[in-house]
Amino acid sequence: QVRLVESGGGLVQAGGSLRLSCAASGSFFSVVTMGYYRQTPGKQRELVATITSGGSTNYADSMKGRFTISRDNAKNTVYLQMNSLKPEDTAVYYCNALLQTTDGRFHTYWGQGTQVTVSS
């Protein structure tokens, strides 16, 4: 059974920094892509950033230059460094992973979500 375990998040003042991490565990063949999405009440979940196994990254425009995504393939872990945080970054952040399981199929998994609150 595959699990994504998230850590990090919390309360920070505007202009501050936080680091999120997410580790994939369980039985699978490989991790293709990992990333983060975020959601606020009443809104759709939106992309924050993703990173492929080869290190290619993709960011939402509003996060470029402030957020950095990285990964440790050996640990099947993704990190999201968030700097210059703004109150509008307040949301629940969800880890996402596209994995190839041992049966050769590809599946998308989600973490449990972690709250990030930025005070003004």
Side-chain angles (χ1 to χ4, degrees), residues 17 44 87:
S17 298
Q44 288 188 331

Side-chain angles (χ1 to χ4, degrees), residues 98-120:
L98 175 63
L99 308 180
Q100 185 177 22
T101 50
T102 54
D103 60 0
R105 296 179 179 180
F106 294 88
H107 301 273
T108 297
Y109 295 88
W110 292 93
Q112 77 277 13
T114 186
Q115 177 70 45
V116 171
T117 302
V118 184
S119 63
S120 57

Side-chain angles (χ1 to χ4, degrees), residues 1 3 39 52 69-72 75 95-96 101 105:
Q1 190 170 358
R3 292 183 63 204
Q39 190 170 22
T52 68
I69 192 167
S70 61
R71 64 188 282 177
D72 183 334
K75 296 181 179 179
C95 177
N96 171 275
T101 50
R105 296 179 179 180

Side-chain angles (χ1 to χ4, degrees), residues 15-18 65-68 81-86 89:
S17 298
L18 283 174
R66 299 189 300 124
F67 292 7
T68 302
Q81 178 67 41
M82 304 184 292
N83 298 328
S84 301
L85 283 162
K86 305 174 182 180
D89 293 318

